Amino acid sequence: MSDGQAFGLEQQGFRNLKAVNWNLSAPALYEEAVKRGEGHVAKNGPLVVLTGQHTGRSANDKFTVRDATTEKTVWWDANKSITPAQFDALYADMMKFAEGRELFAKDLYGGADLTYRLPVRIITEYAWHSLFVHDLLIRPTPEQLKTFVPEATVIDLPNFQADSARHGSAGKTIIAVNFAKKLVLIGGTSYAGEMKKSVFTILNYLLPPKRVMGMHCSANVGADGKAAIFFGLSGTGKTTLSADASRTLIGDDEHGWSEHGVFNFEGGCYAKVIRLSRESEPEIYSTTERFGTVLENVVMDPATRELDLNNAKYAENTRAAYPIDYIPNASDTGRAGHPKNIILLTADAFGVLPPIAKLTPSQAMYHFLSGFTAKVAGTEKGLGKEPQPTFSTCFGAPFMPRHPTEYGNLLRDLIAQHGSDCWLVNTGWTGGAFGVGYRMPIKATRALLNAALDGSLANAEMRVDPNFGFRVPVSVPGVDSKILNPRETWADKAAYDAQAKKLVGMFRDNFRKFEGHVGNDVLEAAPQLAEAAE
């Protein structure tokens, strides 16, 4: 333990702590986690932990301080507020709760672009949480740590319980964001993903005024130096499709796009591992067999320490957190040039969208603001038999504090400035909706993506989709042409037309809230019913 920091915890309001564990190494954090009974070491070395009742983010428990500045800069339609006084009361109560406790402090960076990186300190109650952020964020050199001064701080005390009357929370769990103080307070949840998403949220607030785009996306770069970014919600293949052995991985979840190009916000990956197989995803699978990886809610045999990745006993949302260099072809800088290709991923369970479509910049902004995917029964509690449309603007609404059009306009400007090609890729269903059709073959998706990334697809013969107006390739080598026209894969063509009409209506209904904030070009990019288009 060392208290010789350039900027100590007492300067951040902590008093009478039992001890502070500063910037411990991964092996030291393992020792502390096991000693405290926080986790168990599995066969081959990963640390297996349980997150308790919260096995995912607590979206309804996230609040932002509403003050004179955020009143005008935060999109309050999608962000819940607390007052400065409620935040200050929460902070004071958390400081009191921390007295007499032993804490872990990690000094890290958010952002690989040296101009825009954010020095952030993450203070945790659990050793495994400190190991998690050690894996997920960018680790400074020992020399950098000597003079490290945090610009933002995340304090995570899972055993602290919020008081709704005093703190403005919905219950005993709270994630409170104060942009003026660049401070996030987390209590009442052990789910580690809250910490990484808190850093993402802060960056997504700070960077757009500097004309830097924050993006919920994965990114990779080819041997030709041409980068690609993959936007997509959970379950669309964002992590899987970017982990391509023939390309260098920049990152799997959070990136920025500055005047220098694309850069990773993180220094690690946070991959879903439920039903992961060595055959289909060897790079990610191998990380579950390594020392240093944190496995959340994965089932382990207590005697043999063998993992059962197919078992959802604790959660469907089982995860592996590991340093990005555990992926063999990962970038050592976390940076690349401007993206040549932008891929918007969707898993359309209605079976309407084609496997790939080329978008104009205006169509790209429309679909970026829409952020469409569809969820199916079994992925989340409360879902019935019918697919449920999900529209999460910017493919990451919970982490985008500003108005979506601020991000949308910035993306459109960057696309135009750098001449990027934009594609909508459907990894969902074809041949019918969920329950009738089948999942888009991964081989077809990869073949279409490869053609997009090598530039050949941009010059292919295209047809215009009668419902959505985007251009769809007529044929692609190695891909069954029938699959490129989803209507042709349905046995009942009238049923397809009815489903397409239904989906177009969902898109148009969802977009009404943006209509007063976008130009005519984006409004004209909206899907039209086929009979109306004719």
Side-chain angles (χ1 to χ4, degrees):
M1 294 175 203
S2 165
D3 57 2
Q5 301 299 303
F7 190 88
L9 290 198
E10 69 284 349
Q11 290 173 263
Q12 294 177 290
F14 288 92
R15 298 286 181 271
N16 306 317
L17 295 176
K18 180 182 177 184
V20 182
N21 297 280
W22 283 102
N23 293 311
L24 294 189
S25 65
L29 288 168
Y30 258 74
E31 282 187 11
E32 296 294 338
V34 172
K35 185 170 73 177
R36 288 168 164 73
E38 296 174 7
H40 300 280
V41 182
K43 182 182 177 183
N44 298 318
L47 183 70
V48 178
V49 298
L50 298 178
T51 64
Q53 69 178 94
H54 296 284
T55 58
R57 288 184 307 99
S58 301
N60 293 327
D61 296 307
K62 185 176 180 180
F63 296 84
T64 301
V65 174
R66 194 166 191 155
D67 56 28
T69 301
T70 57
E71 179 69 47
K72 299 181 182 70
T73 54
V74 167
W75 189 37
W76 293 111
D77 288 3
N79 290 274
K80 295 158 74 172
S81 68
I82 55 173
T83 66
Q86 287 169 327
F87 183 90
D88 290 345
L90 175 66
Y91 174 72
D93 292 349
M94 288 183 82
M95 290 301 101
K96 188 70 181 169
F97 176 86
E99 288 189 23
R101 293 175 187 268
E102 187 171 347
L103 300 180
F104 297 83
K106 266 284 176 188
D107 291 331
L108 300 152
Y109 292 118
D113 186 311
L114 302 185
T115 306
Y116 299 108
R117 72 182 179 192
L118 181 72
V120 59
R121 173 168 292 167
I122 301 188
I123 300 155
T124 63
E125 194 179 352
Y126 293 158
W128 83 261
H129 275 185
S130 202
L131 177 61
F132 176 92
V133 294
H134 170 90
D135 284 352
L136 261 293
L137 290 169
I138 296 171
R139 297 162 288 282
T141 65
E143 205 57 37
Q144 288 168 333
L145 284 174
K146 288 178 184 175
T147 55
F148 192 97
V149 177
E151 287 182 29
T153 303
V154 177
I155 300 171
D156 189 345
L157 305 176
N159 290 306
F160 174 87
Q161 295 191 332
D163 177 343
S164 54
R166 182 166 159 78
H167 306 133
S169 60
K172 294 178 179 179
T173 300
I174 191 164
I175 301 96
V177 183
N178 189 322
F179 289 119
K181 296 183 176 181
K182 296 180 186 172
L183 176 61
V184 181
L185 305 176
I186 302 171
T189 172
S190 298
Y191 182 66
E194 298 288 9
M195 295 181 290
K196 92 181 205 86
K197 290 304 184 189
S198 294
V199 176
F200 188 37
T201 301
I202 293 170
L203 285 164
N204 283 333
Y205 181 78
L206 297 177
L207 292 178
K210 301 175 183 177
R211 303 296 295 165
V212 179
M213 177 78 183
M215 304 178 292
H216 183 215
C217 69
S218 57
N220 63 25
V221 61
D224 56 6
K226 292 177 180 175
I229 54 181
F230 301 76
F231 288 100
L233 299 170
S234 182
T236 57
K238 183 163 54 76
T239 298
T240 301
L241 292 171
S242 60
D244 181 337
S246 68
R247 295 172 66 83
T248 299
L249 180 69
I250 304 166
D252 82 326
D253 196 43
E254 302 170 3
H255 293 81
W257 185 356
S258 73
E259 70 271 25
H260 308 131
V262 175
F263 62 99
N264 196 353
F265 281 172
E266 302 183 298
C269 299
Y270 192 36
K272 285 183 91 163
V273 294
I274 191 71
R275 293 177 286 279
L276 190 72
S277 76
R278 193 189 304 276
E279 294 70 37
S280 63
E281 298 181 70
E283 293 91 357
I284 299 172
Y285 190 93
S286 70
T287 69
T288 67
E289 302 178 313
R290 290 194 62 169
F291 180 89
T293 295
V294 178
L295 296 176
E296 289 181 338
N297 302 314
V298 170
V299 173
M300 179 191 76
D301 184 303
T304 65
R305 301 299 172 109
E306 295 268 1
L307 301 174
D308 182 359
L309 297 180
N310 295 317
N311 193 330
K313 174 183 175 182
Y314 301 116
E316 181 76 17
N317 186 34
T318 58
R319 296 266 179 172
Y322 48 88
I324 195 167
D325 59 21
Y326 281 18
I327 298 293
N329 57 324
S331 165
D332 55 1
T333 65
R335 301 188 292 272
H338 299 288
K340 174 60 183 154
N341 287 282
I342 294 167
I343 290 77
L344 308 184
L345 295 167
T346 182
D348 172 23
F350 297 96
V352 171
L353 294 174
I356 197 163
K358 193 167 192 305
L359 306 178
T360 65
S362 299
Q363 288 170 337
M365 183 173 174
Y366 181 91
H367 286 277
F368 178 71
L369 290 177
S370 297
F372 167 73
T373 195
K375 293 180 178 175
V376 296
T379 58
E380 283 190 12
K381 289 180 184 175
L383 290 177
K385 293 180 182 177
E386 286 291 309
Q388 297 297 313
T390 300
F391 291 93
S392 183
T393 186
C394 307
F395 294 96
F399 330 115
M400 302 292 179
R402 295 175 177 273
H403 195 280
T405 52
E406 203 169 330
Y407 304 102
N409 284 322
L410 187 49
L411 180 66
R412 185 182 57 180
D413 292 350
L414 287 163
I415 289 169
Q417 184 180 344
H418 300 290
S420 308
D421 287 326
C422 301
W423 308 89
L424 183 71
V425 172
N426 174 24
T427 61
W429 275 256
T430 189
F434 172 77
V436 177
Y438 54 93
R439 196 75 192 251
M440 200 71 71
I442 186 76
K443 282 187 177 179
T445 301
R446 284 208 181 275
L448 292 168
L449 267 179
N450 289 340
L453 299 181
D454 69 20
S456 61
L457 197 57
N459 302 314
E461 181 189 350
M462 301 269 185
R463 66 176 179 87
V464 175
D465 185 275
N467 295 300
F468 283 83
F470 41 48
R471 295 163 66 221
V472 181
V474 174
S475 65
V476 177
V479 178
D480 180 0
S481 294
K482 191 177 175 184
I483 213 172
L484 294 170
N485 188 344
R487 190 173 187 271
E488 293 303 308
T489 67
W490 283 54
D492 185 341
K493 304 294 189 283
Y496 173 85
D497 293 338
Q499 190 81 315
K501 182 177 180 179
K502 182 176 166 186
L503 185 59
V504 166
M506 291 173 184
F507 266 90
R508 294 182 70 88
D509 289 345
N510 171 73
F511 206 78
R512 286 203 177 96
K513 59 182 173 282
F514 301 126
E515 287 177 352
H517 301 276
V518 298
N520 286 333
D521 61 319
V522 179
L523 293 176
E524 289 166 7
Q528 308 285 336
L529 295 179
E531 57 266 33
E534 289 165 7

